[in-house]
Each structure stands twice: as C-alpha cells, then as structure tokens.
C-alpha cells in the first residue's frame, strides 16, 4: 500500500488529505442529519398541546427554537401567530431557507472535494507523463524502469482522484436528497401547526 501511495508523488498526499476530509464530512453529516435531530417525533404533538393549553409564553418558544430545525420553524410560526396566515407562512418560508442553508453548508466542502479530486488526479497524470518524456530524452526508450516510474505515477494519481471524487459525489447527492425530504416533512408539520392554532391565537 505504501508503495502505491509513494508512487503517486506529492499529488497523492493532497488526495489523501481530501479523502480524509471527505470522510469526516460524511461521518458528521450522517450524525447531524439523523431524523431525531432534525424532526423529533414527539415535538409536533407537544407543540400542538402547548398551543391548545395556551402555554405559548416566550420561554417556551425560545426553548422550542433551540430544540431542533423543526423546533426553530415552529417557534417562528408561533412568534407570528397573531398576524395574518399569509404573513405567518412568509415568515416560516424565510426561516426555512435559513435552515436549509445551514443544513447544506457542510455539503459545499464535499462538492468542492468531488470537483477538485479529479483535477488533482489529472495534475498527477500530467506530472507523471512529463517525467516519462524527460526520461526518454535523457535515457532513450530502452530503460523500462525509468519509463515505468512516470507511467505508474500518472496512473496512480488518476485512479486516486476518481476514488476520492466518486464517493464524494454520491454522498453529496444522498445528503442533498435527505435534506430535501426532511424539509418537506418539516413544512408539513409546521403547516399543520399553523392550521391548528387555537382560534384565540388567530387574528
């Protein structure tokens, strides 16, 4: 394994760093995007109970906003509950864009890795081929070992760049779809809250 890595030259070091960073991002997103962290099951029913029992003081709402992304959206709706329904929905939509941005922010790094890794692999390929032609000029085509070193570096970095980029792209798309699905669920639950606000809470 060490021989394979060392044959890739300096470019391989950067590719390994990108691979490590991608793995950390993927692990962090798997943990942070769990449903119990984004859309806790008991949160919506509890908030509906608070609404019906008039337990909507500022302390409750502030704690709700810190609970989870779903809690933040519900708190936004409750803070605007004395306004017109359209105004409440507009406020929730603005908050929803903020939540989506925060959830997707780490994915920008994963997308960047997916784009940069193949370019680094290509750079390694170019460097390897440059070595091949330099060796041909110096030693001719008869020294197979000299030629093999440059070709090995070219092929190794190309493969490594793809090995890093392909999983990064797949995980990026997976997390994007997961966030989109969770956003839809959050929207549905917040709309249910808005529709079930106690009559006294509505204008």
């Amino acid at each position: 394994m060490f021989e394979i890595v060392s044959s890739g030259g300096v470019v391989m070091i950067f590719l390994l760093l990108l691979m490590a960073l991608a793995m950390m991002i993927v692990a962090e997103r798997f943990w942070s995007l769990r449903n119990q962290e984004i859309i806790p099951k008991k949160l919506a029913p509890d908030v509906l109970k608070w609404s019906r029992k008039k337990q909507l003081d500022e302390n409750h709402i502030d704690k709700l906003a810190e609970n989870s992304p779903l809690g933040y959206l519900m708190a936004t709706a409750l803070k605007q509950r004395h306004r017109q329904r359209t105004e409440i929905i507009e406020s929730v939509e603005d908050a929803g864009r903020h939540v989506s941005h925060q959830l997707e922010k780490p994915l920008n790094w994963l997308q960047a890795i997916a784009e940069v890794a193949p370019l680094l692999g290509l750079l390694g390929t170019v460097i390897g081929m440059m070595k091949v032609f330099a060796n041909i000029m110096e030693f001719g085509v008869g020294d197979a070992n000299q030629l093999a070193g440059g070709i090995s570096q070219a092929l190794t970095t190309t493969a490594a760049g793809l090995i890093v980029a392909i999983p990064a792209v797949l995980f990026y798309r997976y997390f994007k779809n997961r966030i989109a699905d969770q956003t839809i669920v959050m929207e549905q639950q917040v709309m249910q809250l808005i529709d079930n606000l106690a009559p006294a809470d509505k204008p």
Side-chain angles (χ1 to χ4, degrees), residues 158-178:
T158 300
L162 294 175
I163 288 172
V164 174
I166 292 172
V169 171
L170 293 176
F171 280 116
Y172 174 79
R173 295 309 310 168
Y174 168 78
F175 289 127
K176 286 280 286 186
N177 291 334
R178 185 174 181 81

Side-chain angles (χ1 to χ4, degrees), residues 1-25 113 116-118 120-121 156-165:
M1 181 67 181
F2 177 76
E3 292 180 357
I4 296 175
V5 172
S6 61
S7 67
V10 178
V11 173
M12 185 62 73
I13 297 175
F14 290 102
L15 287 171
L16 290 175
L17 290 175
L18 288 181
M19 179 183 292
L21 179 59
M23 291 174 65
M24 287 190 291
I25 294 172
I113 290 171
V116 170
L120 279 176
T156 300
T157 54
T158 300
L162 294 175
I163 288 172
V164 174

Side-chain angles (χ1 to χ4, degrees), residues 23-104:
M23 291 174 65
M24 287 190 291
I25 294 172
V26 169
E28 187 275 334
R29 285 294 85 188
F30 266 119
W31 179 260
S32 298
L33 295 178
R34 292 172 299 156
N35 282 337
Q36 58 264 37
E37 291 292 324
I38 306 299
I39 43 177
K41 287 184 178 180
K42 295 182 180 181
L43 186 61
D46 288 345
V47 174
L48 287 174
K49 289 179 183 177
W50 296 350
S51 174
R52 295 187 183 108
K53 294 180 180 179
K54 309 294 185 181
Q55 296 176 337
L56 297 176
D57 56 273
E58 290 298 320
N59 186 44
H60 269 89
I61 295 176
D62 289 340
K63 287 183 178 179
L64 176 63
E66 298 172 359
N67 176 277
S68 62
L70 174 60
Y72 177 76
L73 295 181
M74 287 186 163
T76 301
L78 292 174
K79 287 178 180 178
Q80 306 293 326
R81 64 187 181 278
H82 298 299
R83 297 189 176 187
Q84 295 292 331
R85 188 174 187 276
T86 54
E87 294 177 337
I88 299 175
I89 293 174
E90 287 178 2
S91 297
V92 170
E93 288 176 347
D94 290 338
R97 284 190 287 269
H98 172 74
V99 167
S100 295
H101 174 73
Q102 291 300 114
L103 294 177
E104 293 178 0

